[in-house]
Amino acid sequence: SILMHRRLFLYNFRNLRKAKGRRETYLCYVVKRRDSATSCSLDFGYLRNQMGCHVEVLFLRYIAAWDLDPGRCYRITWFTSWSPCYDCAQHIASFLRSYPNLTLRIFMARLYFCEDRKAEPEGLRRLHKAGAQIAIMTFKDFFYCWNTFVENREQTFKGWEGLHENSVHLARKLRRILLPLYEVDDLRDAFKILGL
């Protein structure tokens, strides 16, 4: 099926602060071509990690096979259950540099941090610097995904307890990650001066 089962979506996209047992990454996507002031949807669907290959790399391989027209503008929107790991962020940034006519927006349910390396914040900063628009999913984004990518049987999306609070918490965390390092140092100095 082109649509995701409801339970699969609700389990994998729930924006919990501690998402134990959720080891797979799901990626819902929409690809559009921009023609002057209008846009035309070309494809949508969802993917998940495959054995030995992260979902972001799978999508990049998929879209690279399209042989995109360099004279046209394309916009890709992703909704992911986890933010990209450091290596995937590097692959995405490199891909964006190779396709200047393509814009990418990534909405993430949760932030992924590998316990071993702690490199993911740097990967997100590089991805942002390469032109990707990255944000944390809000109720509106979950609602859109429910209506676009989920086999919902006409059921209305009902947010779970803590959805809004967790979105706000994660958005603040992402904002701190994306702050230029000199601004972070300025904030630390300001807190020291204030005795905080």
Side-chain angles (χ1 to χ4, degrees):
S1 171
I2 195 167
L3 298 177
M4 188 182 302
H5 192 279
R6 287 173 294 162
R7 277 180 278 151
L8 195 62
F9 175 78
L10 291 171
Y11 180 77
N12 285 286
F13 277 84
R14 194 171 292 240
N15 64 346
L16 303 169
R17 291 189 193 194
K18 296 191 184 210
K20 292 185 179 185
R22 288 160 173 87
R23 290 184 167 79
E24 289 189 306
T25 301
Y26 282 79
L27 183 153
C28 300
Y29 64 89
V30 176
V31 181
K32 293 185 175 186
R33 185 182 66 227
R34 303 272 312 158
D35 294 317
S36 63
T38 62
S39 65
C40 169
S41 279
L42 300 177
D43 194 16
F44 81 100
Y46 79 94
L47 300 167
R48 69 176 177 84
N49 289 353
Q50 297 297 322
M51 202 61 90
C53 191
H54 287 189
V55 70
E56 298 90 347
V57 174
L58 287 172
F59 182 86
L60 296 179
R61 289 178 186 164
Y62 170 68
I63 200 74
W66 281 27
D67 197 25
L68 298 173
D69 181 348
R72 292 184 177 261
C73 295
Y74 299 89
R75 183 173 76 187
I76 298 172
T77 304
W78 286 355
F79 298 91
T80 63
S81 55
W82 288 105
S83 63
C85 71
Y86 177 80
D87 293 335
C88 287
Q90 294 287 85
H91 286 297
I92 299 164
S94 175
F95 184 85
L96 289 174
R97 285 190 289 274
S98 299
Y99 292 90
N101 58 325
L102 187 145
T103 59
L104 175 63
R105 298 183 308 165
I106 305 173
F107 297 91
M108 306 163 293
R110 296 182 301 271
L111 294 172
Y112 171 77
F113 297 104
C114 181
E115 297 300 321
D116 299 335
R117 295 187 316 192
K118 306 280 190 204
E120 277 66 31
E122 180 57 28
L124 291 174
R125 282 189 285 272
R126 289 183 181 190
L127 186 55
H128 181 66
K129 189 175 179 181
Q133 301 166 27
I134 53 180
I136 295 298
M137 290 176 72
T138 64
F139 179 89
K140 178 184 71 151
D141 303 313
F142 290 110
F143 182 83
Y144 174 80
C145 285
W146 180 263
N147 290 318
T148 307
F149 304 106
V150 177
E151 186 181 295
N152 60 38
R153 296 186 186 161
E154 305 296 320
Q155 290 184 348
T156 304
F157 176 71
K158 294 180 177 94
W160 47 85
E161 187 178 331
L163 183 152
H164 176 71
E165 294 82 1
N166 291 342
S167 288
V168 170
H169 170 78
L170 290 166
R172 286 181 181 149
K173 200 171 192 175
L174 178 62
R175 201 171 315 119
R176 282 193 301 271
I177 289 169
L178 298 180
L179 273 175
L181 291 178
Y182 65 84
E183 287 186 31
V184 173
D185 290 339
D186 290 347
L187 284 173
R188 286 187 185 129
D189 292 342
F191 285 138
K192 282 181 189 173
I193 291 169
L194 294 171
L196 300 173

